[in-house]
């Protein structure tokens, strides 16, 4: 029997440049003609399983399914039997109810476990190592700002400031596969996110660099940052909890020079567009002034999650 292999999106390791380009181009087309796709997923169900909180990922996937004529079901890990049962049994049962699964997992290994028993496509909605859907939304945003042609990102340059992490990993993958230069300007890396194979492949393209020298932003087209302050650091009143005080102060000391702010952009005469995947922590990795700056494209990035999700779902369901 010639069984068709189920395609997932856990990261971009098994994705060609042509496939990523096709997804971005489809996202652009759907964004321009949403009505053309309004019942393409009639009677199809996306199950969204969240082991961590979310605003944009949940909203963009749920709205995407509504606008494509399908339906999305939200499952919060904490209110399901995942808490008390074996993961592998619960996830196999979950997959019997839907056509496609989006899973935000604490650990990448759980996504891999799910993929091993998968009967439907699985989308990584963020894990400790990757955030592929974010990277595709970000690439869509950059393509749009450069005029709307995916090929125009070739030779352009993005700088990522702060801590190398799951978001920067997927950004590195998508940029280097589409011919865009990416420099991580990072004084440290999240050890839980580090992927040496991904770094080596990116470096081999000649498009990927690492530095701690902030002057790299001078000729950048885009400058991007992500959180380096964990929510666990704070109590409900916004005070730093005692057990994290030392780590909080250490991060501030090391990372504050890498804050994305307008003084930094002025210092290097940078005209770069300002990016952040959100949620943001104004006053830490980014200043309020940078968020509100005329070069900020942060809220376009947030909206583009929706258009990118549609293309991702259609790609994995074999509709494009
Ligand atoms: N950027 C992002 O994934 O946002 P959420 O965590 O709110 O989904």
């Amino acid at each position: 029997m010639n069984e068709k292999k189920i395609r997932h999106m856990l990261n971009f390791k098994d994705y060609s440049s042509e496939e990523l380009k096709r997804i971005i181009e489809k996202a652009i087309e759907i964004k321009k003609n949403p009505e053309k796709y309004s019942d393409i997923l009639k009677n199809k169900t996306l199950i969204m399983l969240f082991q961590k909180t979310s605003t944009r990922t949940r909203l963009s996937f749920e709205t995407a399914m509504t606008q494509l004529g399908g339906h999305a079901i939200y499952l919060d890990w904490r209110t399901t039997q995942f808490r008390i049962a074996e993961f592998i049994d619960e996830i196999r049962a979950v997959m019997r109810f839907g056509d496609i699964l989006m899973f935000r997992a604490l650990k990448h290994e759980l996504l891999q476990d799910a993929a091993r028993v998968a009967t439907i496509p699985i989308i990584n909605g963020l894990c400790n190592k990757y955030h592929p859907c974010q990277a595709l939304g970000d690439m869509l945003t950059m393509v749009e700002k450069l005029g709307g042609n995916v090929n125009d990102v070739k030779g352009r340059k993005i700088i990522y400031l702060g801590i190398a992490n799951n978001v920067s990993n997927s950004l590195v993958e998508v940029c280097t596969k589409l011919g865009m230069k990416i420099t991580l300007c990072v004084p440290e890396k999240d050890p839980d996110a580090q992927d040496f194979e991904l770094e080596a492949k990116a470096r081999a393209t000649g498009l990927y660099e690492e530095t701690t020298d902030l002057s790299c932003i001078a000729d950048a087209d885009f400058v991007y940052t992500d959180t380096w302050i964990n929510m666990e650091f704070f109590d409900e009143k916004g005070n730093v909890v005692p057990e994290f005080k030392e780590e909080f102060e250490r991060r501030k000391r090391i990372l504050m020079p890498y804050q994305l702010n307008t003084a930094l952009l002025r210092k290097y005469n940078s005209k770069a567009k300002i990016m952040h995947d959100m949620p943001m922590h104004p006053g830490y990795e980014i200043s309020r002034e940078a968020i509100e700056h005329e070069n900020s494209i942060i809220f376009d990035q947030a909206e583009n999650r929706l258009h990118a999700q549609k293309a991702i779902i259609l790609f994995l369901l074999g509709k494009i």
Side-chain angles (χ1 to χ4, degrees):
M1 198 168 67
N2 189 15
E3 248 182 61
K4 209 168 162 220
K5 192 171 176 286
I6 298 169
R7 197 76 192 273
H8 307 295
M9 185 178 280
L10 305 192
N11 50 40
F12 298 130
K13 289 188 184 187
D14 60 346
Y15 278 72
S16 67
S17 305
E18 289 67 35
E19 285 172 327
L20 295 176
K21 204 173 137 186
R22 182 143 51 99
I23 293 169
I24 299 290
E25 283 171 344
K26 185 53 74 176
I28 293 170
E29 194 212 319
I30 301 172
K31 188 173 176 178
K32 283 186 187 148
N33 309 289
E35 63 293 337
K36 198 174 141 191
Y37 296 87
S38 61
D39 64 357
I40 191 168
L41 293 187
K42 192 162 179 272
N43 294 330
K44 298 286 183 198
T45 298
L46 165 75
I47 298 170
M48 306 185 294
L49 174 60
F50 283 89
Q51 214 179 9
K52 290 176 75 177
T53 54
S54 166
T55 303
R56 280 144 292 275
T57 304
R58 178 182 177 181
L59 283 170
S60 56
F61 271 109
E62 196 158 335
T63 307
M65 285 306 285
T66 305
Q67 293 184 0
L68 294 171
H71 179 64
I73 297 173
Y74 172 72
L75 284 182
D76 179 345
W77 181 283
R78 292 163 299 186
T79 58
T80 63
Q81 310 299 25
F82 277 101
R83 289 178 59 248
I84 57 168
E86 288 207 15
F87 171 76
I88 211 68
D89 297 327
E90 286 296 287
I91 201 73
R92 280 154 79 197
V94 161
M95 288 193 264
R96 296 291 179 103
F97 294 91
D99 300 282
I100 185 161
L101 171 70
M102 192 245 49
F103 182 19
R104 172 165 285 193
L106 288 170
K107 289 283 178 194
H108 187 65
E109 288 73 21
L110 267 192
L111 278 148
Q112 291 175 311
D113 289 346
R116 270 190 281 277
V117 295
T119 47
I120 59 175
I122 301 171
I123 302 168
N124 180 353
L126 177 143
C127 66
N128 58 321
K129 283 193 176 296
Y130 314 103
H131 199 354
C133 303
Q134 180 68 50
L136 286 173
D138 295 339
M139 182 51 75
L140 168 61
T141 310
M142 292 190 281
V143 169
E144 278 183 346
K145 300 299 169 191
L146 292 169
N149 187 326
V150 184
N151 293 321
D152 289 346
V153 300
K154 285 199 176 113
R156 298 293 191 143
K157 183 174 167 186
I158 180 168
I159 305 296
Y160 178 94
L161 295 178
I163 299 182
N165 62 11
N166 49 358
V167 169
S168 65
N169 278 347
S170 292
L171 200 60
V172 164
E173 280 195 297
V174 80
C175 286
T176 52
K177 288 198 176 208
L178 291 179
M180 190 168 180
K181 294 182 203 161
I182 179 161
T183 299
L184 302 190
C185 185
V186 293
E188 72 179 61
K189 296 180 176 183
D190 173 2
D192 198 28
Q194 198 147 14
D195 181 336
F196 297 104
E197 181 197 39
L198 182 151
E199 282 177 19
K201 280 196 174 152
R203 208 167 269 118
T205 65
L207 297 164
Y208 171 69
E209 284 178 5
E210 291 175 19
T211 183
T212 50
D213 180 357
L214 285 158
S215 68
C216 64
I217 71 164
D219 63 344
D221 297 285
F222 302 93
V223 59
Y224 193 123
T225 193
D226 184 23
T227 183
W228 31 263
I229 296 292
N230 294 348
M231 290 318 287
E232 300 91 279
F233 288 0
F234 300 100
D235 63 20
E236 309 85 70
K237 291 187 181 140
N239 300 316
V240 181
V241 294
E243 67 172 303
F244 291 123
K245 212 165 174 55
E246 201 177 317
E247 177 60 10
F248 174 71
E249 293 301 333
R250 188 192 71 81
R251 287 202 193 175
K252 270 203 308 185
R253 199 172 53 249
I254 292 171
L255 289 154
M256 214 39 118
Y258 295 83
Q259 184 192 65
L260 207 179
N261 60 49
T262 50
L264 181 71
L265 296 172
R266 273 197 305 275
K267 181 175 177 187
Y268 294 105
N269 198 23
S270 173
K271 302 284 181 288
K273 298 271 190 263
I274 296 165
M275 301 180 74
H276 193 304
D277 55 306
M278 304 180 81
M280 298 185 278
H281 304 95
Y284 294 101
E285 76 274 6
I286 190 163
S287 69
R288 173 54 63 189
E289 222 188 340
I291 296 167
E292 308 300 343
H293 193 271
E294 60 181 4
N295 280 5
S296 168
I297 56 171
I298 293 168
F299 297 99
D300 294 333
Q301 270 180 275
E303 183 199 318
N304 275 337
R305 298 292 308 279
L306 166 66
H307 309 293
Q309 314 303 30
K310 288 181 182 176
I312 294 166
I313 295 166
L314 294 182
F315 178 86
L316 290 173
L317 288 177
K319 303 274 187 189
I320 59 172

